[in-house]
């Protein structure tokens, strides 16, 4: 499983709508509306970098209201939970 | 359950050590070493803001090697998973 | 009581109008027009994070003229005044 | 009454100590440790700009651990509360 | 006398026009077109913070062409000149 | 008369001392300690660019505590006051 | 052979299209869609600075959807591969 | 002779056109299209600050396509060449 | 093959030494010293994200003189060359 | 002839010394101490990119007091002067 953390800046009044569209995308496991400099944080858990590439280009970018994204690849996950099992894909 | 997402900048050679110390803290459910502008991203899942306040001041800040943190409160979580159940605290 | 401090950048000529709309929102206890990099600072005192989430999404974001916001959760309040009593909600 | 809002960046492990020193200063009515880009936010309520100038130069600047401050003068306060009465100085 | 120094960014071709409008405002004693990151610097010398608040909201903000302002309150003035006398208001 | 406006960032506890040293320099007509992103603003009124170059290199730069300066040349001054006469050099 | 590395910010939904147009330009040897602050990174391998100047002005700049570019000249290449031979131009 | 160095950001497709218009302006001795964060760098060599002020306001600012400028006054020139003679104005 | 592009800021006088150390690391195919905001750009071509994670933590981070890195994952490569064959790993 | 424009930030009290060392370097034709965000601007006129690479690595980087540099390659020079002849190298 490959995990990506994506930081979003969103047109103010579309934050809710965009969050709901994001979480419907296969591969996006959680979306949070957050305080601070960013508006949304999404966690994508996919099988490969390619799968994320398609997810980003085909499904994520066309969503209306996204003004800026910063995608971070998780090199390594540290957790007391068995994340692979919990988010089995 | 209150979720916080914390972005870290870490002294280069302590990234691994800091990640392992963070994930030992009660309340920190996942830590990822990441590509891009930040070095680590941690997800804290706690019962209340106060619990996070203590976690940050008592346990997180004393960790050697953390140069900058940006703590984001998750107002709302969107997920197909029952996160509360999965990360029951 | 949970306290949030929100920094605003506002379209220049709507600073007054936006300040008056903000202070009418249940949960916003004070709004200041300020010098420096930001235009307005609001202090929200609410019962829970959820209450702020609704306040932000339902009431604050739709206000015309807000170009950027930075919401900061107050982990801990230090004061010689009994703020809870003074701003009893 | 003249209100100032001061944003602080603090050396990580001195956040608590600095907050407690700040709130002891005559004229500082509230101090909050906060999430996001800043570490502390203080609200000063004084009689005049000069009083704040002295507060800043004589009492605030000598405090160990403050790395950066941004002082904002409140031009105008909007509130359902009678702040002058509540914070009578 | 309360002194404010205001840094402006202006729509390129309106720099001259805006400078002439600013200097007509009661309370603005000098305006300079400048090299570097900003376009204009104005020095306001007024009787009180409130007077500046009105000056900013009523007269300054409506001026066409101002894209960004940064208002700085002068806590203390140091000069070999008797500025109060020179700019008696 | 050539006017320069210089923005300073100063080591916190030396703001006062540096202001007093600056205002003693021939050619510096006013120095203000200010709120916001900068700590001091100085206005230099000299006969020529060269005079400022010497002032900066010989007298200003050696002052202890200056961390950053931004010098802005005033192309044109707009004022109801006869600044040349007032600050005759 | 002169190598340039160009960082691109692209209008979100045109990332793919722009990448395909870039790689058709004589002199552009590779284009990558990337995570992080930038959207595309292109590597140009040309015979001279002039050739790149034409490539940039004539072919690259007219491409729809490029919002920002940062061109970096490679002073020196270090590699175990014989890049000149591999990318013989 | 007073020398100014002006850094320009230009609308992508107008870089060439703007460069050619700039170099036609009396007082602008060289214009370079450049790699990196800026698009053009111009060197103006004039008799006085006023001459540059007019050059900037009357001739430079009206040019279509200039999005941002940063004008730097050269306090002192160091060269093995006799620049005054070479660029005699 | 997974490609990463890494932007480096390096202590000035160690640029050459760091470049030579980087290119000795298995997986780093090219390193360029560059003009502009960054000092070095490296292209890593590895079999998996994990392999890069080890490369970064075990070999890259311990190198003396690296002050800042920005690692970008290449989602997709566009090229007229058969990069996989050329850089067969 | 290849022209490079290099922007420098310098330790305050070494501006003069560094300028004099820079202008002694073969290939550096002019150095200016400047107002604004940078401290020095140098113009290098050399025969090839390689010559600049050596100039930067061998002669420029070892100079004490340089804190940051931004090197810009001039793609194209526009001038009424015959710069090649004037700065014949």
């Amino acid at each position: 499983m490959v995990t990506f953390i994506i930081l979003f800046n969103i047109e103010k009044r579309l934050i809710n709508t965009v969050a709901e569209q994001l979480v419907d995308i296969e591969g996006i496991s959680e979306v949070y509306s957050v305080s601070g400099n960013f508006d949304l944080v999404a966690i994508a858990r996919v099988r490969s970098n390619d799968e994320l590439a398609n997810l980003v280009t085909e499904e994520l970018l066309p969503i209306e209201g996204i003004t800026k994204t910063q995608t971070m690849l998780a090199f390594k996950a540290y957790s007391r939970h068995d994340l692979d099992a919990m988010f089995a894909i």
Side-chain angles (χ1 to χ4, degrees), chain A:
Chain A
M1 182 165 78
V2 186
T3 305
F4 288 85
I5 296 164
I6 310 169
L7 307 174
F8 292 85
N9 287 98
I10 308 284
E11 274 168 48
K12 275 197 299 115
R13 267 158 288 165
L14 296 175
I15 290 176
N16 238 348
T17 345
V18 171
E20 279 153 5
Q21 288 176 281
L22 285 174
V23 86
D24 277 349
I25 298 176
E26 187 60 37
I28 301 255
S29 77
E30 303 134 80
V31 179
Y32 301 96
S33 63
V34 290
S35 70
N37 275 342
F38 303 100
D39 299 307
L40 292 179
V41 177
I43 303 186
R45 306 181 198 266
V46 288
R47 275 169 285 267
S48 68
N49 299 344
D50 291 345
E51 198 183 313
L52 186 88
N54 293 332
L55 181 155
V56 169
T57 358
E58 307 311 324
E59 305 201 56
L60 193 141
L61 291 185
I63 294 179
E64 197 67 39
I66 297 177
T67 51
K68 203 170 164 224
T69 65
Q70 239 188 92
T71 308
M72 303 184 280
L73 162 69
F75 292 126
K76 196 173 167 187
Y78 307 74
S79 181
R80 67 193 68 196
H81 304 281
D82 178 351
L83 298 173
D84 282 11
M86 287 166 79
F87 294 101
I89 41 172

